[in-house]
Amino acid sequence: MRGVRLLLAALACLLTPAAAQEADRTVTGEITGADHQTYKAIPFDLPAGVERITVRLTYDKANRTVIDLGLFDPERFRGWSGGTRDRFTLSEGDATPGYLSGALPPGRWQVQFGIPNARKDARSPYRVEIFFDRGETRNATAAIADAPIRAGPGWYRGDLHMHDTHSDGSCASQQGKRVPCPLYRTVEAAAQAGLDFIAVTDHNTSSHFSALRELQPFYDRMLLIPGAEITTFGGHANIFGQSRWVDFRVGSPTVPDVATLQHNVAAARAILSINHPALPSGEACMGCGWVWPDTDWSKVTAIEAINGLTTQPPLAGLDFWYDKLNRGFRITGIGSSDNHDPAAGPGKAPIGRPATVVHARELSQPAILDGIRAGNVFIDVEGARDRMLEVAVVSGKNRAAMGETLAIPAAKLAVEVSVAGVAQGTAQLVANGKEHSRISVATSPATLPIDRAAACGWIAVNILGPDNRKLLIGNPIYIRCKAAPRR
């Protein structure tokens, strides 16, 4: 009994606060001198329906014991990281570097130890914790989650639409040939652009997710969000933050309609954003414009109001977005480059132009996606690094920022606008999709008045340059002029 108590006490000392999360499977034991230069299997049973596995190892290294780490499923080898890692994850669509993504068959799995060193008198307690994503439970995802890139609330600047070798991104090779462009070139271009986050959205695939896991530790100032561009025959849409591959084949037996697609996106814990919605859909751009008549717009989180590759007309998506707002749907407007070449020569959209600027509680994937959902977001059309826009509507003691609702306002409202990085700009106040008024923002903050009758519905502020071109596009503040119905 005394040996068991000592083992448990030693393991308790090894656990970090993050390890306090309850594992689905836990195996404890002890490495002794007899284990020197041997392999040790740690078996566990995987139930059906698991979508992700995360394994975490803690052990006593004080007496120079070393444990290498690997994994086998019931049929095959699934990866090896040696002594480099103390945790890893794998799913059907992605895996930690050194491990193989793919189906997770139920049955007897084995965490594999290799023990290159255990001194003759060694007694090193270990603990293996195994976490599952299954159904509504996401233990494995939580156990492998990275700490925020940056703590604390603020405005974070990013680009939510780009492509690389995993779909149709291309660039010049060393010999100047046009070749599929490696993902790291895209990520490096985004870092050089000074972005805080990007979403890589290759068409209909999740093959780039593992590569993003590989790159994220190196790019520790910029958040890399997994995404995919769902290309259907009736429109393109990005999904962000999905936990697995999402079947895109609308009109097939597996995805008979858009309602099924939207259900699958939600089940994968992703958010849906309609891409370049006002483009034509035909031979010139097959399936580019969004034309599905049965779209449930209440399940659409964002619309790409500005797309860097869309030049005819340049702001076509803006009117499309405004139309949905006028129909009562609360959808966040974003802007993205749709970059296909990180070198971005003449006539091509460089990464970060336009940029989407999100107010989030921290720089992490959950926080950025929550920030997009909340709508405190603006679009920097030219992708400048220093332009900022903050908007609030004030009615008496009540105040609402972009994405929020001001309920039962007074007869007169004040729209407060703070701008940075625009020397000679004009604030354009938009009420329900139409220009209401303008004011110079040479001195910021500026205030625009508006009557309640004109404001009811939604209002937004855009910043125009000296030549009337749109520089910054604000998201709406919703003005509810009627009392909410009783329930």
Side-chain angles (χ1 to χ4, degrees), residues 142-167:
I144 201 66
D146 294 325
I149 300 291
R150 199 179 312 160
W155 289 98
Y156 296 107
R157 188 175 299 268
D159 189 341
L160 292 163
H161 190 169
M162 60 193 68
H163 303 276
D164 61 277
T165 190
H166 291 267
S167 57

Side-chain angles (χ1 to χ4, degrees), residues 57 66-70 80-86 99:
L57 168 67
V66 176
I67 299 177
D68 291 345
L69 190 60
W80 190 261
S81 53
T84 301
R85 305 183 191 279
D86 62 2
Y99 292 83

Side-chain angles (χ1 to χ4, degrees), residues 157 193 195 351-355 380-387 471:
R157 188 175 299 268
L195 297 176
I351 291 173
R353 178 172 181 169
D380 186 335
V381 178
E382 297 182 349
R385 297 191 184 198
D386 59 346
R387 289 176 179 168
L471 303 179

Side-chain angles (χ1 to χ4, degrees), residues 103-293:
L104 306 180
R108 179 59 58 93
W109 288 56
Q110 293 182 355
V111 174
Q112 180 71 63
F113 285 179
I115 305 161
N117 194 66
R119 290 177 175 175
K120 186 175 181 179
D121 59 350
R123 296 182 65 86
S124 300
Y126 66 81
R127 182 184 186 96
V128 177
E129 296 172 291
I130 303 151
F131 304 84
F132 302 151
D133 280 359
R134 182 171 54 161
E136 294 299 313
T137 303
R138 288 294 184 263
N139 288 341
T141 296
I144 201 66
D146 294 325
I149 300 291
R150 199 179 312 160
W155 289 98
Y156 296 107
R157 188 175 299 268
D159 189 341
L160 292 163
H161 190 169
M162 60 193 68
H163 303 276
D164 61 277
T165 190
H166 291 267
S167 57
D168 56 347
S170 65
C171 58
S173 71
Q174 291 180 322
Q175 297 185 41
K177 299 177 182 177
R178 204 75 195 165
V179 298
C181 203
L183 174 62
Y184 82 88
R185 290 284 308 277
T186 292
V187 176
E188 178 61 21
Q192 293 299 317
L195 297 176
D196 299 309
F197 67 88
I198 59 170
V200 180
T201 54
D202 285 305
H203 293 280
N204 301 326
T205 187
S206 60
S207 63
H208 53 297
F209 290 8
S210 293
L212 290 173
R213 285 191 181 277
E214 179 181 353
L215 292 170
Q216 183 67 87
F218 180 82
Y219 289 95
D220 55 2
R221 296 179 181 173
M222 182 173 66
L223 176 67
L224 309 181
I225 299 174
E229 184 169 14
I230 300 296
T231 56
T232 76
F233 300 136
H236 297 186
N238 277 341
I239 57 176
F240 306 121
Q242 59 271 41
S243 61
R244 60 176 181 265
W245 176 76
V246 173
D247 195 340
F248 60 92
R249 296 170 294 172
V250 178
S252 72
T254 56
V255 191
D257 49 31
V258 169
T260 304
L261 174 65
Q262 292 187 277
H263 171 81
N264 292 345
V265 169
R269 287 171 168 73
I271 63 175
L272 179 69
S273 176
I274 305 301
N275 291 346
H276 40 67
L279 281 179
S281 187
E283 288 188 353
C285 193
M286 291 175 284
C288 290
W290 194 265
V291 296
W292 291 111

Side-chain angles (χ1 to χ4, degrees), residues 155-162 190 193-199 303-309 332-338 349-358 372 377-389 470-475:
W155 289 98
Y156 296 107
R157 188 175 299 268
D159 189 341
L160 292 163
H161 190 169
M162 60 193 68
L195 297 176
D196 299 309
F197 67 88
I198 59 170
I303 287 175
E304 196 177 64
I306 308 294
N307 177 284
L309 292 182
T332 301
I334 62 173
S336 308
S337 68
D338 198 358
I351 291 173
R353 178 172 181 169
T356 297
V357 190
V358 180
I372 294 172
V377 173
F378 69 88
I379 304 167
D380 186 335
V381 178
E382 297 182 349
R385 297 191 184 198
D386 59 346
R387 289 176 179 168
M388 294 297 299
L389 172 64
K470 289 182 171 63
L471 303 179
L472 305 175
I473 296 174
N475 263 271

